[in-house]
Amino acid sequence: MRKFILPVLFLLNCGLSSGAISLPEGDSTLSFLPEKRIYPSVFLDPLECQMMGGSYLLNRKGSSQSLYSTVNMGFTRPVLAKHREKLSWELNFGVAMFSQFDLIKKSDNSYLAGLLNTDFKISADYAVSKKDNILRLRIFHISSHLGDDYMQRHADTLVNDKSVNYEQADLTYMRKFRHGYIYAGAGMIYTKYVFRERFSIQAGGLMNFRETGSVNFFTGADVKLLEENSFSPDIRTAFGINFNRKTVPLMRIWAEYYSGRLPYSTIDYGRVNWFGLAMTFNILCS
């Protein structure tokens, strides 16, 4: 049943997008299902609800290099927004499914591929903006489910400690500039009985190298410090190209480097490094 939830929500969202309306109220506008977001997509956050895929060469201690791929299916959709001359706000809803795959070379020179894990996320947030300053309060639930291929390979040593099943609230400040933005925030897991440490910090930014036209280059980074990982930083950096529609990124393609713990699943590889290519699509909204 779970595998049908995201496609149904995706189709429902597409249908609702065509029916977005705005209701004027004096000096402001109340919008239902608006097309654009006040708080932009932080696409370099591994847990952003978005359409994204990537393939990377992954290195970890005590193991040979492997091909690690991610396929993320999801979206974040503004539900209600009010725009005023000085102060604006919005309510957003997001849902996503994060799947990871690996390709390993065996000792007999054959290759073994399979599904490692799938995480599910649902989120809601409230963002308020004044000029170029945005403050976002978000809550989300995430749960992790090991893949069939991984469970078959490791049935004798399999342990699921449920450390990626939790609910979190976080508060993030973003400052927008002409060519990008920077952000910083902190979060706390509020699940009463949880199998992980609760506190986290996140920061990062994005810079475009020219005014947004049909095509432009960008660079960016996302950094997370989790109490769960003794505040050792998980760093994701990228350099790539935007393909824009009406000054809004429709597709991004980039080369990235990641250093840290796996951002998904209960699988413990220790600290890893990967380098590869990724892309994201921004079809539903800005």
Side-chain angles (χ1 to χ4, degrees), residues 148-192:
D148 294 341
D149 298 318
Y150 185 87
M151 290 190 290
Q152 290 177 6
R153 295 179 199 170
H154 304 277
D156 54 337
T157 59
L158 194 62
V159 176
N160 188 343
D161 60 7
K162 299 187 182 297
S163 61
V164 190
N165 292 17
Y166 62 91
E167 288 78 36
Q168 177 172 313
D170 52 46
L171 186 65
T172 306
Y173 168 76
M174 175 179 285
R175 172 74 176 182
K176 297 180 72 175
F177 301 97
R178 181 178 179 183
H179 296 294
Y181 55 75
I182 57 174
Y183 60 89
M188 181 70 69
I189 294 172
Y190 62 84
T191 310
K192 185 175 182 179

